[in-house]
Amino acid sequence: MVNPSRAEKPRYTPLRLLVMEGDGIGPEITAAALHVLDTVNDILDLRITFVPAEVGFRALKSHGTTLPDSVVEQATQADGIVLGPVAHNDYPPAAHGGVNPSGELRKQLDLFANIRPARTRDNIASTIAQVFDLVIVRENTEGFYSDRSMHAGTGEFMPTPDLAIALRKVSAHGSRRIARQAFALARQRRRKVTTVHKANVLRVSDGLFLRCVREVAAEYGDVVHEERLIDAMTALLIRDPHAFDVVLTTNMFGDILSDEACELAGGLGLGASLNLGENHAMAQAQHGAAPDIAGKDVANPSSLIGSTAMLLSWLSARHDDPKLAQAGKLIDRALDAVLSQPALRTRDLGGDTGTRAFAEAVADNVRDLAGQN
Ligand code: ATP
């Protein structure tokens, strides 16, 4: 990943990953991702240990809250985090223990960047006949998200029963640092950033965002910078996704565009992502807890498997350890190899392979690629 600050401790103290399986399909896809991760861990002798922690409905039952303070503390201490999807929309109100672990961890650990890649793969039908490979860099701690835009209280409130108000937070600091993330990432790719905004209407807030992005763009003369309005972008993404490399945008626009891009690439089950800050990173699927298919062994774990590969890449840069990057690439290649075979796909991609069997196939492929089968 891009420019994580160097760790103070030397590598070869074992790395500890905090693993929270979440709700809905979370336990199934987390078990699948861990199975693959543990396979590369063994093969490449990465010395990663996995520390489980409960969040979501299980934690609500055992601790009276969906995100115990002790888990936040563990997350702060961990070298990396894996979070399964959470069903926060179904949680009780905060007064009864319902806290969105995803939003709260992003806020508490200052995970300001949400990196969401989307690309077509061999043989997977896309809704458009075009090969593309783009990454959405989404601001993750501000915007319209009422649970993270305020120090205390919520950014959404109701002065009277017939009037609701939502605040949108955009800061110069938040805008500059997400822009730097996007431009630095573009330097490792095809050197193009498309900034998506609505400054023609949100003149003050997106105006500030755009001003900061332009300042940062000026520091990256070798990266092409273009600007698009969000409404036009939703159409352009469908018409010509190949035209985009790194897409930089604010929190909610990024959330919506990444679902669109993910669907164009084949479906939500493929959506990997990494939340990162200066000192922490959290692997997390782009999608939610999908309660409609929970417990049926049909969920596609590619999203979280791909997210853990991104986490390994981030850890590699942070700890100056090429073996971790090699591990991430091995997982990506194995995932691509399995997804290229229609008979091995999960139900969302037209196959009938179960979640567990899919993970086994990816792990087998990891072993094959490493020459151990
Ligand atoms: P959230 O708002 O929490 O992100 P959402 O409204 O986007 O959630 P999801 O739970 O992400 O809804 O998923 C929408 C639908 O897509 C699910 O009901 C499910 O049918 C399908 N889906 C999502 N993830 C997967 C997956 N990994 N494998 C297969 N199908 C999936």
Side-chain angles (χ1 to χ4, degrees):
M1 261 316 117
V2 185
N3 282 338
S5 49
R6 290 276 173 254
E8 279 158 24
K9 55 189 157 181
R11 173 75 175 112
Y12 292 121
T13 46
L15 294 177
R16 280 180 317 109
L17 297 192
L18 187 71
V19 180
M20 297 164 274
E21 58 184 23
D23 307 303
I25 59 172
E28 295 160 84
I29 67 167
T30 306
L34 277 194
H35 180 52
V36 175
L37 204 48
D38 212 22
T39 305
V40 285
N41 194 22
D42 275 356
I43 290 174
L44 297 180
D45 189 25
L46 300 176
R47 303 184 202 186
I48 295 175
T49 56
F50 304 104
V51 182
E54 273 184 357
V55 296
F57 279 116
R58 285 193 186 171
L60 186 65
K61 226 174 179 179
S62 55
H63 290 78
T65 168
T66 53
L67 183 63
D69 288 345
S70 58
V71 175
V72 177
E73 181 55 29
Q74 281 179 291
T76 309
Q77 299 300 325
D79 294 295
I81 303 161
V82 178
L83 175 64
V86 289
H88 61 95
N89 287 329
D90 302 327
Y91 291 170
H96 296 109
V99 180
N100 176 1
S102 166
E104 195 57 26
L105 285 168
R106 290 175 189 183
K107 185 173 164 181
Q108 298 246 4
L109 302 182
D110 202 20
L111 303 172
F112 66 87
N114 189 196
I115 312 295
R116 295 187 154 195
R119 65 181 167 88
T120 42
R121 289 179 155 95
D122 284 352
N123 302 327
I124 292 196
S126 159
T127 31
I128 44 133
Q130 207 184 90
V131 172
F132 71 90
D133 178 353
L134 58 86
V135 180
I136 292 173
V137 175
R138 163 193 177 198
E139 203 292 322
N140 217 16
T141 47
E142 304 190 336
F144 259 129
Y145 284 70
S146 55
D147 61 345
R148 65 204 75 160
S149 54
M150 306 283 279
H151 169 64
T154 158
E156 232 187 349
F157 45 92
M158 211 165 199
T160 71
D162 296 325
L163 175 65
I165 296 176
L167 295 179
R168 178 170 187 260
K169 175 181 163 188
V170 175
S171 74
H173 171 65
S175 303
R176 286 195 193 105
R177 67 180 179 173
I178 194 65
R180 290 213 169 85
Q181 197 69 35
F183 279 88
L185 178 60
R187 268 198 179 146
Q188 297 169 11
R189 294 174 47 93
R190 302 194 307 274
R191 293 177 184 259
K192 181 175 174 187
V193 172
T194 304
T195 298
V196 180
H197 64 93
K198 189 72 181 169
N200 57 339
V201 174
L202 299 166
R203 287 176 188 274
V204 177
S205 52
D206 262 1
L208 174 63
F209 174 67
L210 210 49
R211 192 186 84 207
C212 295
V213 170
R214 286 174 185 164
E215 283 167 20
V216 172
E219 297 166 18
Y220 290 82
D222 54 328
V223 177
V224 174
H225 181 224
E226 62 180 21
E227 297 167 7
R228 294 285 178 266
L229 290 170
I230 176 65
D231 39 347
M233 183 65 185
T234 56
L236 291 171
L237 196 53
I238 290 169
R239 189 189 306 162
D240 192 16
H242 176 68
F244 303 104
D245 177 20
V246 173
V247 176
L248 163 63
T249 191
T250 48
N251 203 341
M252 192 171 283
F253 294 161
D255 193 20
I256 297 166
L257 282 179
S258 54
D259 264 26
E260 186 186 340
C262 205
E263 193 56 37
L264 288 175
L268 277 182
L270 296 170
S273 94
L274 190 70
N275 301 276
L276 60 87
E278 287 297 324
N279 296 304
H280 304 280
M282 179 165 82
Q284 190 182 10
Q286 290 186 26
H287 57 74
D292 53 325
I293 54 167
K296 297 179 178 164
D297 193 40
V298 296
N300 185 350
S302 301
S303 51
L304 198 57
I305 294 173
S307 307
T308 59
M310 294 175 76
L311 179 60
L312 288 172
S313 162
W314 181 85
L315 285 167
S316 168
R318 183 168 168 79
H319 294 275
D320 241 338
D321 183 349
K323 223 156 59 157
L324 291 163
Q326 188 192 345
K329 282 189 188 130
L330 200 53
I331 292 178
D332 276 338
R333 286 173 57 208
L335 195 53
D336 279 355
V338 172
L339 286 169
S340 72
Q341 300 175 60
L344 293 180
R345 289 183 196 150
T346 45
R347 199 171 73 179
D348 55 317
L349 297 176
D352 60 3
T353 300
T355 310
R356 281 193 297 270
F358 182 91
E360 197 51 59
V362 178
D364 268 349
N365 238 279
V366 163
R367 284 187 279 268
D368 280 345
L369 289 167
Q372 291 209 352
N373 260 349

